[in-house]
């Protein structure tokens, strides 16, 4: 498909995020399992449920456009998920690994926020009000997840990671 109209660009970006969200439904359970902090586990589990709802919203949008719900390989999300996986495979102190999971998850959320922000703006320009509302709902969920992850980091996980590192140094002495 050529990018000769905003309609086409909209559809291309829609396929990209659809594939990205599908990847996340497989990555989030692994992230929840890898997390040590029960609050962080909960955040990932909650966002998995939201992600399933976001996929349904995207399917509604495809339907509204009269298009089949079909994704197109999202290499951006593949890379982000792959980087997260690499960190999960590392040996380490659980609080530091939790801090790493938060960082990975926030990179993912920011990718999604950018994608949905563009899609929402295009939908407004294309006069698709109902589609725009669906995209706005998802955008708000992604932003709330990002904030929640920041709060989790600031409310102790990152400090625990600092303490874990300090403990290691003492042991080495
Ligand atoms: Fe999402
Ligand atoms: Fe998300």
């Amino acid at each position: 498909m050529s990018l000769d109209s905003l309609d086409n660009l909209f559809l291309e970006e829609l396929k990209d995020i659809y594939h990205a969200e599908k990847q996340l439904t497989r990555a989030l359970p692994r992230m929840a399992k890898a997390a040590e902090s029960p609050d962080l586990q909960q955040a990932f589990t909650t966002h998995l449920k939201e992600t399933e709802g976001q996929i349904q919203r995207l399917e509604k949008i495809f339907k509204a456009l009269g298009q089949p719900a079909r994704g197109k390989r999202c290499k951006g999300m593949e890379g982000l998920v792959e980087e997260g996986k690499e960190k999960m495979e590392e040996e380490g102190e659980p609080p530091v690994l939790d801090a790493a999971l938060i960082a990975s998850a926030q990179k993912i959320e920011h990718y999604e926020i950018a994608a949905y922000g563009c899609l929402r703006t295009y939908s407004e320009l294309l006069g698709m009000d109902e589609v725009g509302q669906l995209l706005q709902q998802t955008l708000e969920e992604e932003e709330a997840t990002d904030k929640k992850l920041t709060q989790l980091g600031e409310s102790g996980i990152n400090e625990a990671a600092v303490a874990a590192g300090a403990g290691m140094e003492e042991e080495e002495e």
Side-chain angles (χ1 to χ4, degrees), residues 21 24 28 47 51 54 108-109 112 116 141-142 145:
E21 296 285 19
L24 277 181
L28 283 165
H47 197 49
T51 299
Q54 293 171 355
I108 287 170
E109 290 314 307
E112 292 185 298
Y116 282 110
E141 283 175 1
E142 309 293 27
T145 301

Side-chain angles (χ1 to χ4, degrees), residues 15-28 30-31 47 51 54 58 72-85 104-116 142:
K15 289 177 180 173
D16 183 274
I17 197 69
Y18 187 62
H19 186 254
E21 296 285 19
K22 291 249 168 153
Q23 290 184 61
L24 277 181
T25 59
R26 294 191 295 273
L28 283 165
R30 286 198 300 264
M31 292 166 82
H47 197 49
T51 299
Q54 293 171 355
L58 290 172
K72 188 179 168 195
R73 187 173 168 199
C74 173
K75 293 176 193 159
M77 188 58 75
E78 267 178 16
L80 291 168
V81 166
E82 185 54 37
E83 279 193 9
K85 232 191 215 170
S104 292
Q106 286 196 285
K107 287 178 187 175
I108 287 170
E109 290 314 307
H110 283 226
Y111 184 92
E112 292 185 298
I113 288 165
Y116 282 110
E142 309 293 27

Side-chain angles (χ1 to χ4, degrees), residues 83-94:
E83 279 193 9
K85 232 191 215 170
E86 278 175 13
K87 292 208 191 94
M88 283 190 264
E89 285 162 4
E90 298 270 346
E91 299 280 310
E93 291 291 309

